[in-house]
Amino acid sequence: MLKGNVRVLFASLIGSAIEWFDYFLYGTVASLVFNQLFFVSENPTIGLIIAYTSFAIAFFLRPIGGILFSHIGDRLGRKKTLVLTLSLMGVSTFGMGMLPTYQVIGIWAPIFLTCLRFVQGLALGGEWGGSVLLAVEYAPKYKKGLFGSVPQMGISIGLILGSLVMSVMTLLPEDQFMSWGWRVPFLLSAVLVIFGLWIRKGIDETPAFKKAQEAGEVSRLPIADTLRYHWKAVLIAMGAKVVETAPFYIFGTFIVSYATTTLNFNKTDALNAVVIGSVVATIIIPIIGNLSDRIGRKNIYLFGIAATILYAFPYFWMLQQGSVFLLILATVIGLGFIWGSVNAVLGTMISEFFPAKVRNTGISLGYQLGAAFAGGTAPLVATALLATFNNSFVPVALYMILAAIISLFAISFIKNNGQTNEQIDSELDLNM
């Protein structure tokens, strides 16, 4: 049993890490390369905003991907969706590494790049829910939090891999990096995808889905049942996602352009800070996930919300000091400890809102809608706020606080503390 669980956890983790590695590459490269080679503008700030807009647009494809692939997951099984989404992500990311630039094919360069980004959004929209459910639905009793936190580690691991390989590439001379160095991570992703597919094809369907299938409880149209009977839970999941996703893209993506263009840090230092913060998050996530099985997921989430509110202004103050040490420390606290704690429990917490027959659809819809409205837009909003308010960090800090308040309101409708019950398929008690 233990050996089987380890294989399942590894399958959920490796696929999630690869998907997020591919996805985050775009966000990092958008701030360093795409604004110069694909979204060309005489005004560097406008080019960066356009690049971040292409980054944000894909988030609005994620709910569509979530609906599409979660339909497959709730109708035909979790495993099938995981193979499909990983394949799509691999093809689109490899294609980005092969694209000619604006200087070669003109306006077609940003068009093709944006289309491939759309495919990434669709793939990730279906990936997350399947990965979380693969872990949670295989978890032993009273270990849902620990198991559910493992695929969440894939987010920080993907960010580590993407930032680390880009950090190494930025050591190249500037002309070589801009010519071919930035392409290397996109092309190498093909190797990771092949490995991930091999791992995932060797696992079985989850016990919870098998049980629902045998009992004839598979929904014919999961999205219809979800919106008809569980729409309130979807809204709560969507609101809960805001405090996890908006600050994350400030701590992990926006910081790269902000530190290098506004605060005059070099690219390598900024990327290394993100790598170190992500390593800390990866270590923290399973510890917090395990803790949530004892003290409850809502309690931990409330801590993360309070910490985000209290840390927003100190975070930017530390960055303003111009110290590499403080840049790293600020990122470790924000990305590593605060975001790591929130992220550790989010997947398991919202999976407990829905019964097995619509669980894939329910969690994917709530999570991806929250990501669309608050995640992908975060670097764009932050950059626009800086440009509007003369590079003042105050509006960006207030934006992070607003995200936390929205999530506080959302989870206030959860009556219990989100601690794992013996029967995860029972409805979470919602005060609505």
Side-chain angles (χ1 to χ4, degrees), residues 119-203:
V119 176
Q120 280 192 330
L122 288 172
L124 191 63
E127 161 67 25
W128 180 83
S131 290
V132 169
L133 294 188
L134 184 66
V136 169
E137 292 183 346
Y138 261 105
K141 186 168 61 175
Y142 302 124
K143 289 294 181 183
K144 306 293 184 185
L146 174 60
F147 273 56
S149 69
V150 170
Q152 296 296 85
M153 293 167 63
I155 301 175
S156 53
I157 291 174
L159 186 56
I160 291 169
L161 292 175
S163 299
L164 188 59
V165 72
M166 286 305 300
S167 180
V168 171
M169 289 296 103
T170 58
L171 296 176
L172 290 169
E174 183 70 12
D175 60 332
Q176 293 184 31
F177 172 73
M178 296 300 291
S179 175
W180 59 267
W182 68 270
R183 297 180 183 273
V184 173
F186 290 88
L187 300 178
L188 287 178
S189 68
V191 178
L192 297 176
V193 168
I194 292 171
F195 177 67
L197 288 173
W198 176 71
I199 292 292
R200 285 188 165 180
K201 285 192 174 181
I203 60 173

Side-chain angles (χ1 to χ4, degrees), residues 22-87:
D22 288 355
Y23 201 72
F24 287 141
L25 270 181
Y26 191 99
T28 302
V29 178
S31 63
L32 300 176
V33 176
F34 290 162
N35 58 322
Q36 300 178 53
L37 298 184
F38 287 86
F39 303 100
V40 179
S41 173
E42 293 182 3
N43 186 328
T45 301
I46 297 299
L48 182 60
I49 288 176
I50 295 173
Y52 275 148
T53 300
S54 71
F55 177 75
I57 287 174
F59 279 74
F60 292 96
L61 271 293
R62 283 171 57 173
I64 298 174
I67 293 171
L68 174 64
F69 291 107
S70 62
H71 176 84
I72 298 172
D74 282 330
R75 286 281 296 158
L76 303 177
R78 321 302 193 204
K79 177 182 172 179
K80 289 181 174 62
T81 66
L82 295 176
V83 172
L84 282 170
T85 56
L86 188 55
S87 300

Side-chain angles (χ1 to χ4, degrees), residues 117-421:
R117 179 63 177 168
F118 285 173
V119 176
Q120 280 192 330
L122 288 172
L124 191 63
E127 161 67 25
W128 180 83
S131 290
V132 169
L133 294 188
L134 184 66
V136 169
E137 292 183 346
Y138 261 105
K141 186 168 61 175
Y142 302 124
K143 289 294 181 183
K144 306 293 184 185
L146 174 60
F147 273 56
S149 69
V150 170
Q152 296 296 85
M153 293 167 63
I155 301 175
S156 53
I157 291 174
L159 186 56
I160 291 169
L161 292 175
S163 299
L164 188 59
V165 72
M166 286 305 300
S167 180
V168 171
M169 289 296 103
T170 58
L171 296 176
L172 290 169
E174 183 70 12
D175 60 332
Q176 293 184 31
F177 172 73
M178 296 300 291
S179 175
W180 59 267
W182 68 270
R183 297 180 183 273
V184 173
F186 290 88
L187 300 178
L188 287 178
S189 68
V191 178
L192 297 176
V193 168
I194 292 171
F195 177 67
L197 288 173
W198 176 71
I199 292 292
R200 285 188 165 180
K201 285 192 174 181
I203 60 173
D204 198 6
E205 191 50 74
T206 70
F209 180 78
K210 284 183 176 179
K211 185 177 178 181
Q213 202 172 34
E214 291 168 0
E217 296 179 352
V218 176
S219 175
R220 295 185 63 182
L221 193 58
I223 183 62
D225 289 343
T226 300
L227 294 177
R228 182 178 180 183
Y229 301 111
H230 307 284
W231 61 270
K232 293 180 181 179
V234 170
L235 289 177
I236 292 175
M238 180 180 170
K241 171 68 176 169
V242 174
V243 73
E244 182 270 338
T245 193
F248 172 77
Y249 285 100
I250 301 295
F251 294 141
T253 300
F254 167 75
I255 180 59
V256 177
S257 64
Y258 179 64
T260 55
T261 60
T262 304
L263 303 180
N264 297 317
F265 288 95
N266 67 55
K267 295 175 184 176
T268 304
D269 287 337
L271 289 167
N272 285 344
V274 173
V275 169
I276 295 170
S278 301
V279 169
V280 173
T282 305
I283 296 169
I284 288 293
I285 285 170
I287 296 173
I288 298 298
N290 188 50
L291 181 64
S292 76
D293 285 318
R294 298 200 297 273
I295 70 172
R297 286 172 259 294
K298 183 179 177 181
N299 291 333
I300 291 174
Y301 221 75
L302 286 171
F303 162 79
I305 289 172
T308 301
I309 292 172
L310 294 174
Y311 185 61
F313 279 95
Y315 169 69
F316 283 101
W317 178 87
M318 293 169 74
L319 298 179
Q320 292 286 321
Q321 305 312 302
S323 164
V324 174
F325 171 76
L326 288 179
L327 168 66
I328 294 171
L329 180 61
T331 307
V332 165
I333 295 172
L335 185 61
F337 287 99
I338 298 176
W339 174 80
S341 298
V342 171
N343 178 59
V345 299
L346 177 63
T348 310
M349 183 175 74
I350 66 175
S351 73
E352 293 173 326
F353 294 0
F354 304 93
K357 66 178 182 178
V358 296
R359 186 174 295 142
N360 201 336
T361 300
I363 69 170
S364 295
L365 191 59
Y367 185 95
Q368 302 304 350
L369 283 173
F373 287 108
T377 56
L380 174 62
V381 169
T383 301
L385 287 173
L386 282 179
T388 303
F389 293 95
N390 197 28
N391 286 335
S392 171
F393 67 82
V394 173
V396 184
L398 291 174
Y399 170 64
M400 292 173 62
I401 292 172
L402 176 62
I405 292 173
I406 291 171
S407 289
L408 178 62
F409 176 75
I411 69 169
S412 69
F413 290 94
I414 305 173
K415 287 179 65 175
N416 70 17
N417 68 1
Q419 193 168 354
T420 299
N421 304 313

